[in-house]
Amino acid sequence: MPSSTHHVTPNPKGGWSVHRHGGKRASRHFATKKAAEAYGRQVSFNQQTVLIIHHEDGSRTAPNEASADRPKARRQSSTQRH
């Protein structure tokens, strides 16, 4: 898997973690999956990576499924540029 991914994974000690693929430590830990997903989406958007969300059973979402609702960067049309 390319290093341009972030993952939301269950933390063995409880809660959820967000980390970059291949990273030795989590970026942050959260009590809820919802909070971890929100943070993961923002980090993934800012760093232009793919977000992969894991489930407690070890399965995960497809990369494009997890990133599908990320906000897209808006482009200016040629008529809007100054």
Side-chain angles (χ1 to χ4, degrees), residues 8-17 19 53-59:
V8 173
T9 59
N11 187 312
K13 295 181 179 180
W16 293 82
S17 299
H19 61 92
I53 300 170
H54 296 255
H55 303 287
E56 286 189 65
D57 66 2
S59 64

Side-chain angles (χ1 to χ4, degrees), residues 12-59:
K13 295 181 179 180
W16 293 82
S17 299
V18 177
H19 61 92
R20 190 168 187 125
H21 180 74
K24 295 183 187 227
R25 297 185 327 170
S27 301
R28 283 186 65 185
H29 299 281
F30 296 88
T32 66
K33 183 176 181 181
K34 185 176 181 177
E37 284 182 29
Y39 175 78
R41 289 183 199 286
Q42 187 62 48
V43 170
S44 179
F45 176 77
N46 289 343
Q47 296 185 16
Q48 299 179 348
T49 62
V50 174
L51 179 64
I52 299 174
I53 300 170
H54 296 255
H55 303 287
E56 286 189 65
D57 66 2
S59 64

